[in-house]
Amino acid sequence: MLYVQATDEMLASETREREIAPLKSIRDNHEKIVVARQGSYDTDIDDFGAGYSVRTAENAE
């Protein structure tokens, strides 16, 4: 299983938290990915817990 959250961008910390909150509420060990259309982000967002990552147009592969 894979969980995916899509967003336009997450440049503001409030936006980032809002977009990741639905994934944080899922209490299992399956991979969780946020897909952002624009912006540059660290691909690993471990500050929200293991199993979360960000994919953008630049690092989608």
Side-chain angles (χ1 to χ4, degrees), residues 12-31:
S13 61
E14 297 84 12
T15 305
R16 183 177 174 176
E17 178 60 34
R18 182 187 71 231
E19 296 298 333
I20 294 173
L23 299 177
K24 288 173 57 177
S25 69
I26 300 169
R27 303 288 183 194
D28 63 23
N29 293 324
H30 295 294
E31 185 176 7

Side-chain angles (χ1 to χ4, degrees), residues 4 11 17 19 24 30 34-35 37-39 43 45 47 50 60:
V4 179
L11 299 173
E17 178 60 34
E19 296 298 333
K24 288 173 57 177
H30 295 294
V34 177
V35 178
R37 185 177 70 88
Q38 56 185 328
T43 57
I45 49 176
D47 52 317

